[in-house]
Amino acid sequence: MTTQQILAFGVIGLMMAVFIWDRFRYDLVACCALVLAVCVGIVPFDKAFSGFSDDIVIIVGSALVVSAGVARSGIVDSTIKRFFPNLNTLHTQLALLLVVVAVLSAFIKNIGALAIMIPVAFQFARKSGKSPSLYLMPMSFAALLGGLMTQIGTSPNIVVSRLRAEITGTPFTMFDFTPVGATLALVGVVFLIFFHWLVPERQNETPSLEEALDVKAYFSEATVVEGSPTEGKQLSDLLHAGDGDAVATAILRGHTRLSPFPDVEMKSGDTLLLEGTPDALDRIVSNGKLKLSGKPLDGTAERSDVISIEAVITAESQLIGWSARQLSLHNRRGINLLAVSRQGHRLSERLSEVTLRAGDVLVLQGSRRNLPGFLQDFTCLPLAQREILLGTPRRAYVPIIILLAAMGITAAGLAPVSVAFFCAALAMVVFRVVPLVDVYKALDAPILIMLAALIPVSDTMRTTGGSELIAGWLGHLAAQMPHYGALALILVTAMAVTPFLNNAATVLVMAPIAASFAQTLGYKPDAFLMAVAIGAGCDFLTPIGHQCNTLVFGPGGYRFSDYPRLGLPLSALIILVSVPLLLYVWPVT
């Protein structure tokens, strides 16, 4: 081993040890590893920040923005309610998520399939009262497994197909991967459904201030308008969208106040007094196409400029002792009062008639220009810059169209994934699906920094010749083994190398080695090439080997050491199933 190779192995080994130690945040560890690699000379000065321009960083960042747009649209929740209204247990929810992600990943880029379903996972987590961490890691692994099923499912399959054409003159076809890949996906998904308990329940360890706030009981009112899908249905059908997090305290029909019995049939013009969390109220209002209290702000602000914020009334506020009707907020300030929360009290009067008190938390709707002035003039303090969807305009189908267009362009080979998803993220902003000021909130900066810092560090395995050194050891060791042992060795090595090279690079390094010693030993190369593709596509041990794992790392609140807890037994299962299956489908003699 050369000095450069020793240094490369040393820096990467030290970095992995600190990751597993889990005493420092992952982005800090990655940055320190990058500085150390530069200091010892294995990363040149001019390559130190090359990771910030890498496609993987663009793909992950863009996917986060696209996912935020899909979640904001509300179409995910309405789809769940319509087609899967009774999925209440963790097993059934997880089964749906994993199957859909795996099937989608066979035909579109796996990170795209994952991005579609992440908002669904958060909806399920909220509905069942579970941590999103129980869903996200299994979903990421299912996306990796689904990608094994077809030639276009994942980058390693495409690369290994091209290399086979160079070696044998004939590439793998679209569905040559399906017999082995579909079996592995089926076995893996079943394993993930029944062994999801290996994933620890985590919370996002770097939550924003707004996520720390938890106002449970907001009081609001909404009216059934003519033509609303709620018209003619029972109250219970409408409240079902709130998943039990919102209730109706009264129904106002003309001058009559009705008790909110579940079987009351809703009529046009009925006004409901509602109490619940902001998210639950938003789902009820958006699904039922209800009209919130207040008047339209179209003449006051641009549609994309309308926002909803939370603010608390201070003891010095001039709002104390006044109601929204008396203040005439809409006519005088262009602001609507959408909801009020009062600790320890259930409000029974109409929202416009609630006499405001110090400590009340308000949800206010207005433009980005006039809300700050109102808060200052009336001595109210915003709780946080968190996104409140209640009362904000949204374009339901635009984000889905954008995402499908990006995936279609990728599948057709018209543009690489990085370009397609970057354009999709940009379209989310241009078409005002995600407001401009919220774009950077959707990006998970620690994850992107970690990725950018790790890319040049991981590349030292290749630039110092460390990967070729490992390959030489492999060839010598495999020559002493039976065919099934050599095949397993190639598969295990590809799995082990992937976190440090990225999956496409692993195939480029390992496939020629696998083919050459298969030829030396007198075996057909197909099974060995397939083993490389499977190993490179199945990184279940770290959050850094594949962008799918990285995408769920922050939102799931995972630690570096959490991945092997589920990934190690899954990797062992994939190895045990793959080797005999490969030998059966692709005989070596």
Side-chain angles (χ1 to χ4, degrees):
M1 290 179 66
T2 65
T3 302
Q4 292 288 86
Q5 291 168 349
I6 293 172
L7 290 173
F9 285 122
V11 170
I12 291 175
L14 178 62
M15 178 186 71
M16 296 298 292
V18 178
F19 271 136
I20 295 171
W21 190 28
D22 205 26
R23 291 293 298 274
F24 304 99
R25 207 171 74 176
Y26 44 85
D27 53 336
L28 178 62
V29 175
C31 289
C32 289
L34 175 59
V35 171
L36 179 60
V38 172
C39 289
V40 300
I42 56 176
V43 173
F45 291 117
D46 60 340
K47 297 293 185 183
F49 304 113
S50 59
F52 287 89
S53 62
D54 192 276
D55 283 358
I56 293 177
V57 176
I58 302 300
I59 291 169
V60 172
S62 300
L64 288 169
V65 175
V66 171
S67 180
V70 174
R72 185 183 175 89
S73 70
I75 195 169
V76 170
D77 184 67
S78 60
T79 301
I80 293 172
K81 294 293 187 301
R82 181 175 180 180
F83 296 104
F84 305 101
N86 300 316
L87 291 180
N88 297 314
T89 66
L90 178 60
H91 278 94
T92 56
Q93 293 170 346
L94 198 57
L96 173 67
L97 291 171
L98 299 188
V99 170
V100 172
V101 167
V103 172
L104 287 176
S105 296
F107 302 100
I108 62 177
K109 188 68 176 174
N110 42 26
I111 193 169
L114 185 60
I116 292 175
M117 300 305 292
I118 282 178
V120 184
F122 277 99
Q123 293 284 2
F124 280 159
R126 190 181 300 113
K127 182 177 181 180
S128 61
K130 301 290 185 180
S131 169
S133 65
L134 297 177
Y135 300 84
L136 296 181
M137 188 187 295
M139 286 171 61
S140 176
F141 291 174
L144 298 184
L145 290 166
L148 302 177
M149 290 194 282
T150 64
Q151 184 184 22
I152 64 171
T154 187
S155 300
N157 289 3
I158 298 172
V159 176
V160 83
S161 179
R162 188 186 72 197
L163 290 175
R164 187 194 190 229
E166 296 175 0
I167 294 169
T168 68
T170 306
F172 287 120
T173 62
M174 177 72 169
F175 296 105
D176 279 346
F177 298 86
T178 304
V180 176
T183 304
L184 293 179
L186 177 62
V187 170
V189 165
V190 171
F191 171 86
L192 292 170
I193 292 172
F194 289 100
F195 290 88
H196 67 274
W197 51 267
L198 292 171
V199 181
E201 284 202 53
R202 300 287 190 200
Q203 300 298 326
N204 192 335
E205 294 185 351
T206 57
S208 57
L209 175 61
E210 57 267 25
E211 291 170 325
L213 297 171
D214 190 17
V215 179
K216 291 293 186 184
Y218 269 112
F219 173 81
S220 184
E221 69 175 59
T223 302
V224 179
V225 297
E226 190 173 352
S228 166
T230 303
E231 196 174 359
K233 292 187 178 180
Q234 295 183 351
L235 175 62
S236 58
D237 296 330
L238 174 65
L239 297 180
H240 182 68
D243 292 328
D245 292 331
V247 297
T249 58
I251 301 173
L252 306 180
R253 181 172 293 168
H255 298 289
T256 306
R257 186 185 185 99
L258 305 177
S259 297
F261 293 118
D263 58 351
V264 173
E265 185 176 299
M266 306 306 301
K267 296 183 178 180
S268 176
D270 285 354
T271 297
L272 288 86
L273 304 187
L274 302 169
E275 185 179 23
T277 64
D279 286 343
L281 294 176
D282 175 63
R283 294 196 297 272
I284 290 173
V285 170
S286 59
N287 285 5
K289 301 293 189 295
L290 306 181
K291 177 184 175 296
L292 285 166
S293 63
K295 299 179 181 178
L297 298 176
D298 295 342
T300 308
E302 293 290 335
R303 178 183 174 88
S304 63
D305 198 38
V306 174
I307 60 171
S308 299
I309 65 169
E310 293 169 294
V312 62
I313 299 177
T314 66
E316 296 80 23
S317 175
Q318 297 92 322
L319 295 177
I320 296 173
W322 294 82
S323 68
R325 185 189 300 276
Q326 292 170 326
L327 290 168
S328 189
L329 292 178
H330 181 273
N331 294 332
R332 294 182 181 179
R333 304 301 295 253
I335 288 173
N336 286 326
L337 175 64
L338 299 185
V340 176
S341 176
R342 180 171 296 167
Q343 186 67 30
H345 291 82
R346 169 167 284 184
L347 302 174
S348 57
E349 58 265 54
R350 297 197 64 160
L351 188 62
S352 60
E353 298 171 355
V354 173
T355 301
L356 302 177
R357 300 180 185 176
D360 285 352
V361 181
L362 314 178
V363 175
L364 300 170
Q365 181 193 56
S367 75
R368 298 181 190 277
R369 294 186 296 273
N370 63 6
L371 277 172
F374 172 84
L375 297 179
Q376 185 175 17
D377 292 345
F378 287 91
T379 323
C380 297
L381 297 176
L383 282 182
Q385 291 294 317
R386 73 164 167 172
E387 184 181 43
I388 297 295
L389 295 180
L390 180 64
T392 58
R394 276 164 285 171
R395 300 164 182 257
Y397 295 100
V398 173
I400 298 299
I401 294 172
I402 292 172
L403 182 57
L404 291 176
M407 294 187 300
I409 289 170
T410 303
L414 301 177
V417 177
S418 55
V419 174
F421 268 79
F422 180 81
C423 291
L426 182 62
M428 292 288 183
V429 180
V430 170
F431 288 98
R432 299 172 179 175
V433 176
V434 179
L436 189 60
V437 295
D438 293 333
V439 171
Y440 295 102
K441 296 177 186 177
L443 297 174
D444 195 334
I447 290 295
L448 300 182
I449 294 295
M450 179 192 73
L451 271 179
L454 280 180
I455 287 167
V457 176
S458 299
D459 198 42
T460 59
M461 287 282 288
R462 179 186 60 82
T463 57
T464 62
S467 56
E468 284 79 4
L469 184 66
I470 293 173
W473 293 340
L474 270 180
H476 179 73
L477 185 60
Q480 316 299 322
M481 294 182 171
H483 60 282
Y484 56 86
L487 190 62
L489 180 63
I490 288 294
L491 179 59
V492 171
T493 305
M495 281 184 174
V497 171
T498 296
F500 309 106
L501 284 183
N502 87 47
N503 48 21
T506 298
V507 174
L508 290 172
V509 171
M510 292 294 303
I513 298 166
S516 65
F517 80 71
Q519 203 167 24
T520 301
L521 297 174
Y523 300 136
K524 295 179 182 178
D526 294 335
F528 291 87
L529 292 174
M530 282 285 185
V532 170
I534 292 169
C538 292
D539 174 34
F540 306 127
L541 301 180
T542 72
I544 60 176
H546 195 280
Q547 55 263 37
C548 286
N549 290 353
T550 308
L551 184 62
V552 302
F553 188 41
Y558 298 117
R559 300 174 184 173
F560 200 91
S561 56
D562 289 341
Y563 282 76
R565 295 178 63 167
L566 180 65
L568 193 59
L570 178 58
S571 298
L573 178 64
I574 294 299
I575 294 168
L576 289 175
V577 175
S578 295
V579 173
L581 193 60
L582 283 170
L583 292 173
Y584 176 77
V585 178
W586 301 97
V588 297
T589 55

